[in-house]
Amino acid sequence: MEWENQTFNPDFILMGIFSYTPTHIFLFSLVLGIFTMALLANTLMVLLIYLDTRLHTPMYFLLSQLSLMDLMLICTTVPKMAHSFLSGRKSISVAGCEAQIFLYVSLLGAECFLLSVMAYDRYVAICYPLQYFNLMNWKLCGLMAASSWFLGAFDGIVELAATLSFSYCGSREIAQFFCDVPALLHLSCTDTSTFETLIFICCVVMLLLPLSLIIVSYTRVIVTVIRMSSGEGRHKAFTTCTSHLIVVGMYYGAAMFIYMRPNSNRSPTQDKMVSTFYTIFTPMLNPLIYSLRNKDVAKAFSKVLGKRKSRE
């Protein structure tokens, strides 16, 4: 591994997405507001699901894992970006860059697999409601959730190890607001064609295979929902599935745009915009789309507030 350069300072420089113009200062403030909302909303979801026994079901357990992943993902990138903008120091150490790459890639991969597990959960709940707790028991649910974390971490280790093998010479300015693997490839003076093939294979495994499972699951779900005689049941099922599909579309669409395009078609500006969307906006939208408008979650929130008021 040859991260060290002939220059005095081996640190990388994160170019960021904001300058100090009034418009960019406003956008930076907006991002900080979104970060705060995502932090509070995802923390609230995790706590509500932990505290309220009515939410101790496989579906809500998986939602708590999604919120935890989103919480970690947004904390991997935004605090460093904010510190760089406010302090004017854009450098990031080699160790810091390594940590960002591992956490970022691991969490993205884990979410890909978790979303497919959640699709399977909805498929079983809607298509086989009477057998739900047998087919989606706690042991299986825990195993699938743990597998999502493990497979994500494995992907992070593979991509980090490959990235560390490159030599970085010349400019060390990363055209991103965090250490992103595609942005780092442009700085390498090593032939990265083999690694680009590896990234593509990883994307097939981490993105297309889970997405295929999601499509199959929801195709079966839609067929079952259409056959339902109960209008209320059909509406409830469609509402749940629509929420999930919105999240899936935003997440997988942005991830495939970033990681499955050849380097020749890349634009730093486009990459920054799309990366901002799924590393900052999506973690805020997930709890809003998925959970906080759910009646069970609203009741749990009211119950927790009621307990607090009664103590006061």
Side-chain angles (χ1 to χ4, degrees), residues 262-279:
N263 273 345
S264 57
N265 294 338
R266 291 190 178 279
S267 161
T269 302
Q270 287 181 344
D271 284 356
K272 286 180 184 180
M273 291 177 61
V274 178
S275 296
T276 301
F277 177 77
Y278 74 86
T279 59

Side-chain angles (χ1 to χ4, degrees), residues 59-79:
M59 181 183 80
Y60 288 109
F61 170 73
L62 295 174
L63 284 174
S64 72
Q65 297 300 295
L66 180 66
S67 290
L68 184 58
M69 290 176 184
D70 281 337
L71 196 59
M72 293 175 65
L73 179 62
I74 200 168
C75 288
T76 299
T77 57
V78 177

Side-chain angles (χ1 to χ4, degrees), residues 289-300:
I289 293 173
Y290 236 142
S291 307
L292 293 180
R293 68 189 188 90
N294 183 290
K295 290 182 180 179
D296 293 333
V297 175
K299 289 178 182 177

Side-chain angles (χ1 to χ4, degrees), residues 108 117 233:
L108 285 181
V117 172

Side-chain angles (χ1 to χ4, degrees), residues 4-288:
E4 293 78 10
N5 198 358
Q6 304 297 324
T7 60
F8 175 75
N9 188 354
D11 291 351
F12 288 95
I13 305 297
L14 297 173
M15 300 307 294
I17 50 178
F18 300 120
S19 62
Y20 293 96
T21 63
T23 301
H24 279 211
I25 291 172
F26 169 75
L27 292 174
F28 173 74
S29 302
L30 184 63
V31 166
L32 280 188
I34 292 170
F35 169 73
T36 304
M37 288 180 62
L39 200 65
L40 293 175
N42 285 293
T43 301
L44 179 62
M45 278 305 307
V46 173
L47 290 176
L48 284 178
I49 293 170
Y50 174 76
L51 293 172
D52 196 306
T53 54
R54 291 175 299 181
L55 301 182
H56 291 180
T57 64
M59 181 183 80
Y60 288 109
F61 170 73
L62 295 174
L63 284 174
S64 72
Q65 297 300 295
L66 180 66
S67 290
L68 184 58
M69 290 176 184
D70 281 337
L71 196 59
M72 293 175 65
L73 179 62
I74 200 168
C75 288
T76 299
T77 57
V78 177
K80 175 59 182 173
M81 178 197 71
H83 176 266
S84 297
F85 182 82
L86 294 173
S87 67
R89 295 192 296 270
K90 297 183 177 183
S91 63
I92 182 171
S93 66
V94 172
C97 201
E98 292 172 1
Q100 274 199 336
I101 290 172
F102 172 73
L103 290 171
Y104 176 76
V105 174
S106 297
L107 291 166
L108 285 181
E111 283 205 28
C112 287
F113 285 109
L114 185 69
L115 287 172
S116 66
V117 172
M118 294 170 74
Y120 172 75
D121 172 72
R122 292 300 82 203
Y123 160 69
V124 174
I126 293 172
C127 297
Y128 302 98
L130 300 179
Q131 303 174 51
Y132 176 70
F133 287 103
N134 289 326
L135 296 174
M136 197 65 184
N137 57 68
W138 278 110
K139 183 178 180 180
L140 179 61
C141 181
L143 179 62
M144 290 194 292
S147 298
S148 298
W149 285 96
F150 174 79
L151 291 170
F154 178 76
D155 185 43
I157 291 170
V158 169
E159 294 208 19
L160 176 61
T163 307
L164 293 177
S165 67
F166 297 147
S167 297
Y168 295 91
C169 43
S171 172
R172 300 176 79 83
E173 295 181 347
I174 300 174
Q176 262 289 10
F177 61 95
F178 63 97
C179 285
D180 191 22
V181 173
L184 275 170
L185 294 182
H186 291 289
L187 306 183
S188 176
C189 49
T190 308
D191 180 16
T192 61
S193 57
T194 302
F195 181 61
E196 289 176 38
T197 303
L198 175 64
I199 288 182
F200 183 81
I201 293 171
C202 285
C203 287
V204 170
V205 175
M206 307 297 287
L207 292 173
L208 296 186
L209 289 182
L211 183 60
S212 299
L213 178 59
I214 290 171
I215 292 172
V216 170
S217 297
Y218 276 103
T219 300
R220 297 290 301 274
V221 165
I222 290 171
V223 170
T224 301
V225 168
I226 291 173
R227 293 175 179 173
M228 284 183 176
S229 57
S230 169
E232 182 180 351
R234 190 185 302 117
H235 174 73
K236 185 177 180 180
F238 265 125
T239 300
T240 303
C241 295
T242 301
S243 299
H244 191 185
L245 288 173
I246 290 172
V247 172
V248 168
M250 292 190 306
Y251 188 83
Y252 279 89
M256 285 190 287
F257 180 84
I258 289 290
Y259 290 103
M260 298 195 74
R261 285 181 305 152
N263 273 345
S264 57
N265 294 338
R266 291 190 178 279
S267 161
T269 302
Q270 287 181 344
D271 284 356
K272 286 180 184 180
M273 291 177 61
V274 178
S275 296
T276 301
F277 177 77
Y278 74 86
T279 59
I280 299 175
F281 286 91
T282 303
M284 179 201 69
L285 293 174
N286 279 353
L288 299 178

